[in-house]
Amino acid sequence: MKSLLAEYETLDPECDSVRIRELMEEGAGLIDREAQPKKWAAFRYRYAQVSEEVDPSAALAAYRESIDFLDPKEDQELLADCHRAIGILMIHQGNLGSDAQEEAISHLEAAVTLYPDVAVWLAVLYQFRIAGDPWQNWKKRLEYLEIDATSIPKEEDPVRWARVQNELGIAMEEEPDANFYTALEKRFKFHLKALAALGNSINPTWIRTHLYLSECYLFRLGEDPEEDLFFAEQFNRKALDAWTDEFDVTLKIVALLGRVRILSVSKKHGRTEDLLQGLKHCEEAASLIDMSQPTHHTYFGNIESQRSMLLLGLIKLGQHERADELLTHARNAIRSFSSEEHIRSRRIILQAAAEGLLVVEHFADAAGLLKEALTEAEHGLGSAETISARMERIWEFRDSSALLCWCLLKLGQVEEALLELDLGKDRFWSKDIQPWSMAELYSLVPSNGALLFENFAATPGAVVVVVEKRTEIVWLPQFGKNRVMELQRGNVDGLQLGGWLHAYCFRNSQPDAWRKHIDETAGLLYEEFWVPILDQLSQLGITSGAELVWFPQGGSNVFPMHAAWKKTNTDEGRFWLLDEFTLRYAPSVRALLLKHAPAKNDCDDMLMVSNPMGDLEYSEIECAWVMRIRSRKSVQLLHGEEATTEAVSASIAGKKVVHFSSHALFDLNHPLDSSLLLAHNSRLSLRDLMPILQSDAPAMVVLSACETGMARVTSTPDESLGFPAAFLHGGSSTVLSTLWPVDDQATALLVSRFYWELSKGDMSPARALREAQIWLRQVTAKELRRLLGELKDAPPPAGPTAARLRTALRVESSEACPFAEPYFWAAFTISGKE
């Protein structure tokens, strides 16, 4: 041992690393590691240090062995150094799977207190972490970036400081489920700070900062989209012009790809010319690729992915002969994106290739690609461990599943198409998704009615009509994906928000425009959508009075399909779809096939939650009327301050009917945080409700509150995630909910009438709601005054409130119908089995 150590002292670590490795390995073999663990660990540690460059795998093994023999208190610094080295070595090896990511994170987090420099590596690992909650991963990434930023003196090292500001900016945009455009504005600020710190000194970080700002302008939803596109082009051009051979070639590749993205949305030279120019830039970027460098494989994948998208655009413009070329580049991209972290990229590329094949009507090949895309989505879902992670990955099924359904419909494979469409839904509610049979599907068809499955994944749109033992496809040439987006968002490219969502967002500042938009959209729905469907229903023998079950898809769930109308020569001047059919909504087939609580309209057990915040005066009328209608039945009333989250949660189980007359909030970006507002400003969220429902769900839930029937309609539309789906999957049979913030007076009147219709005993909830809506649309001021007079003796606050409403109605003509507009009644929908 003395001889080994003496020779070691004479060696130079840089020049004699091979001999040092031999000495350390031989020395460790001479030591009894059980008797002298620290001495043995010291030899293994030094062996690992000199092995990092020549044999990283051996270095990793030696560092791992050293850790087991070091004391956390006495050898704190040495132990932290081992952890640091293991984490960084693992990162340099690349292609970390989920288990390797977790190991690298654990080692670096054990070192970060003594070695803050590893925070930058932890930020990268959390950025691409496969396991865990996406939002928590994002928070950890942000935390470590901020640690790195605070350790850098801005004045002494402006380049490194700017580099971290850029990373913080990118992280802002990566927040799961955040509002994209709000996050983008946050990102802007960090890149602008980085640019200011860099000044006019051109270096790689200066070029990257310009590219980041170009990207921000490209995706910005500003008041002037053309101006944003101009600035995107200017920042990109500055970056390209600044690049020289002294800089890393990958910078130019990234700049060229940025230019390609600009051209993919540009209309400056004409759509075809811009796309062709984009392909030329892809060719130039590809010429710079050196496949002997591992990092270039990802860049090559990005180039091939961009080529695929450009070719898809050209195919849509009529260049159908490029379909094979698209498929070749898509496969190249997929091969380059082979690691686990690129699951989402592979799915997107497969879907793009499938869309191109659909344009040229190669439906069978497209179906194969879409099935591959869904397999990738399935792999991503398999690694999700939390609710948030499952939710984010489940949404990846939506487009691919719906598009596969559309493709199969074109192939005439209706049964498989409907199964695939349904498989794209409900994955959040159950991990064990089992296919249903056509016999089970036919069992859901209402007597003399029909099931209607829409598909707006492409153009033309399609509606599958399912009647007893028969299915028919209604193709809608003018009402497909683009038309739905136009109605929903105002335009297809999304550069400026309009349509339904714009009117909805500004409903408080522009209430008249909102009410008008509801009415006009309902008219368009009849003319453009319902006419061919009603014709098919007539041919199938579905007559007036039948019940239709509607399965929305593609974000169309925001529209009140039951409120569609056309002009007539009648006294009212309109014919309403509601006058002829009862329309019931359903998030999915599987939601209706679940074992539900028995739906008994005359059940004795009811929980009524009334006006918990004390600011809904007409809730008192609603409560009084409902209590009268159910006078001989058991009702538990939680009124005002009694309706706390604790009291409501404890009272739901075992009830057959649960009625909420309260405020509600739907969270477009975090649907599980959507809440019913209760006493003392407390909230009962969907997240809170789920475990309650699993024990004993009510048969019927009446959500007499705002926005309770909405579902996610932003960047990833999801018609099966919201209050109705939560209750149905929890075991309820029927859910009454609303599509928008409703008028308090109209709500009290309509919901009370709904219970009155139900009390007849021979009517389903869906039919009762339809009758109540027709009644509210047609009821006169004179009749309303008479009905409100029945509450004149009701105890306060219901009696005085009814009296005030009677007085207010006196300004109306006796024969006027004050609640005729669809704004007042069309928000209400019934979802479920009845």
Side-chain angles (χ1 to χ4, degrees), residues 176-217:
D177 299 329
N179 181 291
F180 174 77
Y181 301 107
T182 301
L184 187 63
E185 291 304 317
K186 293 179 182 178
R187 179 183 174 185
F188 253 116
K189 294 177 182 178
F190 282 98
H191 294 324
L192 288 172
K193 284 196 294 185
L195 191 63
L198 290 167
N200 295 320
S201 176
I202 296 176
N203 53 60
T205 302
W206 186 93
I207 293 175
R208 286 193 183 278
T209 305
H210 278 73
L211 293 175
Y212 292 143
L213 284 166
S214 173
E215 188 175 296
C216 288
Y217 274 111

Side-chain angles (χ1 to χ4, degrees), residues 698-760:
M700 183 168 74
V701 179
V702 176
L703 301 174
S704 180
C706 300
E707 302 184 316
T708 51
M710 290 184 66
R712 182 173 171 129
V713 292
T714 49
S715 58
T716 49
D718 191 323
E719 60 279 353
S720 65
L721 189 56
F723 284 103
F727 279 105
L728 292 174
H729 281 272
S732 297
S733 295
T734 302
V735 182
L736 187 153
S737 56
T738 57
L739 294 175
W740 57 78
V742 288
D743 178 83
D744 293 349
Q745 295 177 5
T747 299
L749 295 167
L750 186 142
V751 173
S752 301
R753 184 70 180 196
F754 166 73
Y755 279 102
W756 186 84
E757 297 286 354
L758 274 182
S759 69
K760 296 177 181 179

Side-chain angles (χ1 to χ4, degrees), residues 615-786:
D615 59 349
L616 293 173
E617 60 175 334
Y618 296 104
S619 174
E620 306 294 346
I621 296 177
E622 180 181 323
C623 178
W625 252 329
V626 174
M627 295 289 281
R628 285 192 176 200
I629 293 167
R630 301 181 59 85
S631 60
R632 293 185 298 276
K633 300 179 177 67
S634 173
V635 179
Q636 179 186 355
L637 175 64
L638 292 176
H639 178 268
E641 293 188 354
E642 300 173 332
T644 62
T645 300
E646 294 77 14
V648 172
S649 299
S651 301
I652 290 177
K655 297 298 188 295
K656 295 301 182 184
V657 178
V658 174
H659 180 117
F660 288 94
S661 181
S662 62
H663 291 292
L665 291 174
F666 183 79
D667 192 321
L668 286 168
N669 293 305
H670 303 90
L672 282 190
D673 291 331
S674 302
S675 305
L676 297 162
L677 308 189
L678 300 177
H680 310 300
N681 294 316
S682 61
R683 296 187 176 191
L684 184 61
S685 70
L686 278 182
R687 199 183 305 274
D688 301 325
L689 277 168
M690 287 165 58
I692 300 173
L693 297 175
Q694 289 172 0
S695 60
D696 192 358
M700 183 168 74
V701 179
V702 176
L703 301 174
S704 180
C706 300
E707 302 184 316
T708 51
M710 290 184 66
R712 182 173 171 129
V713 292
T714 49
S715 58
T716 49
D718 191 323
E719 60 279 353
S720 65
L721 189 56
F723 284 103
F727 279 105
L728 292 174
H729 281 272
S732 297
S733 295
T734 302
V735 182
L736 187 153
S737 56
T738 57
L739 294 175
W740 57 78
V742 288
D743 178 83
D744 293 349
Q745 295 177 5
T747 299
L749 295 167
L750 186 142
V751 173
S752 301
R753 184 70 180 196
F754 166 73
Y755 279 102
W756 186 84
E757 297 286 354
L758 274 182
S759 69
K760 296 177 181 179
D762 61 348
M763 197 173 291
S764 70
R767 178 67 183 274
L769 178 61
R770 174 201 174 198
E771 295 298 326
Q773 289 174 314
I774 293 173
W775 173 82
L776 186 63
R777 198 184 77 221
Q778 298 176 344
V779 70
T780 64
K782 179 180 178 180
E783 175 64 11
L784 287 173
R785 290 197 296 268
R786 185 192 68 76

Side-chain angles (χ1 to χ4, degrees), residues 347-369:
R347 187 199 67 81
I348 291 170
I349 294 164
L350 284 163
Q351 181 160 317
E355 288 183 37
L357 293 182
L358 288 178
V359 173
V360 298
E361 300 187 352
H362 293 175
F363 301 123
D365 292 337
L369 292 173

Side-chain angles (χ1 to χ4, degrees), residues 154-451:
K154 178 181 175 182
E155 301 303 325
E156 295 178 20
D157 196 348
V159 173
R160 188 178 163 214
W161 187 86
R163 193 181 303 135
V164 180
Q165 296 307 304
N166 282 333
E167 284 299 313
L168 280 164
I170 293 169
M172 290 297 107
E173 196 177 283
E174 293 173 344
E175 179 182 358
D177 299 329
N179 181 291
F180 174 77
Y181 301 107
T182 301
L184 187 63
E185 291 304 317
K186 293 179 182 178
R187 179 183 174 185
F188 253 116
K189 294 177 182 178
F190 282 98
H191 294 324
L192 288 172
K193 284 196 294 185
L195 191 63
L198 290 167
N200 295 320
S201 176
I202 296 176
N203 53 60
T205 302
W206 186 93
I207 293 175
R208 286 193 183 278
T209 305
H210 278 73
L211 293 175
Y212 292 143
L213 284 166
S214 173
E215 188 175 296
C216 288
Y217 274 111
L218 179 62
F219 295 110
R220 192 182 194 190
L221 190 66
E223 295 182 1
D224 188 343
E226 291 186 7
E227 182 179 66
D228 288 336
L229 194 60
F230 170 80
F231 282 116
E233 187 173 6
Q234 290 299 305
F235 275 101
N236 178 268
R237 192 176 297 281
K238 285 183 179 179
L240 270 173
D241 290 345
W243 186 87
T244 65
D245 290 340
E246 66 179 287
F247 298 134
D248 187 347
V249 72
T250 58
L251 270 178
K252 186 170 185 180
I253 294 172
V254 173
L256 288 168
L257 288 174
R259 180 67 182 149
V260 170
R261 283 191 289 272
I262 292 169
L263 288 165
S264 68
V265 299
S266 173
K267 298 176 183 177
K268 187 174 182 180
H269 304 292
R271 195 80 185 99
T272 300
E273 185 175 341
D274 286 330
L275 294 175
L276 290 173
Q277 186 62 40
L279 286 174
K280 291 181 180 178
H281 286 304
C282 284
E283 189 66 35
E284 182 180 358
S287 69
L288 302 173
I289 291 292
D290 180 0
M291 294 302 280
S292 66
Q293 298 187 38
T295 58
H296 278 220
H297 286 260
T298 299
Y299 287 115
F300 179 71
N302 287 328
I303 294 168
E304 294 299 89
S305 177
Q306 287 295 325
R307 276 175 163 163
S308 301
M309 298 303 174
L310 294 168
L311 289 165
L312 175 59
L314 289 170
I315 290 169
K316 288 181 177 180
L317 290 172
Q319 295 189 19
H320 294 179
E321 70 279 3
R322 290 183 175 268
D324 289 340
E325 191 179 353
L326 163 62
L327 198 55
T328 297
H329 289 295
R331 288 296 183 193
N332 288 342
I334 290 166
R335 280 192 290 271
S336 296
F337 292 143
S338 58
S339 66
E340 203 170 351
E341 69 193 54
H342 291 123
I343 286 174
R344 181 172 296 178
S345 296
R346 292 197 296 271
R347 187 199 67 81
I348 291 170
I349 294 164
L350 284 163
Q351 181 160 317
E355 288 183 37
L357 293 182
L358 288 178
V359 173
V360 298
E361 300 187 352
H362 293 175
F363 301 123
D365 292 337
L369 292 173
L370 289 167
K371 288 175 181 178
E372 287 186 54
L374 285 168
T375 298
E376 295 291 354
E378 195 77 60
H379 289 160
L381 182 59
S383 64
E385 299 175 354
T386 65
I387 286 176
S388 296
R390 280 185 61 78
M391 191 184 306
E392 181 176 327
R393 289 171 173 86
I394 283 165
W395 282 326
E396 296 172 6
F397 284 87
R398 295 296 184 259
D399 286 350
S400 296
S401 182
L403 199 60
L404 177 56
C405 169
W406 190 90
C407 183
L408 293 170
L409 289 176
K410 281 290 185 179
L411 291 168
Q413 300 172 21
V414 179
E415 179 178 348
E416 186 181 352
L418 293 180
L419 275 170
E420 290 293 346
L421 182 64
D422 213 53
L423 284 169
K425 304 177 181 182
D426 295 344
R427 288 175 179 269
F428 173 75
W429 306 107
S430 175
K431 293 185 178 181
D432 182 24
I433 301 293
Q434 297 296 324
W436 37 258
S437 67
M438 286 303 288
E440 289 176 304
L441 181 64
Y442 287 133
S443 73
L444 298 175
V445 178
S447 178
N448 301 316
L451 310 178

Side-chain angles (χ1 to χ4, degrees), residues 535-554:
D535 180 61
Q536 182 65 66
L537 290 173
S538 176
Q539 293 181 39
L540 291 169
I542 307 300
T543 57
S544 180
E547 184 173 5
L548 309 176
V549 185
W550 183 252
F551 295 83
Q553 182 271 323

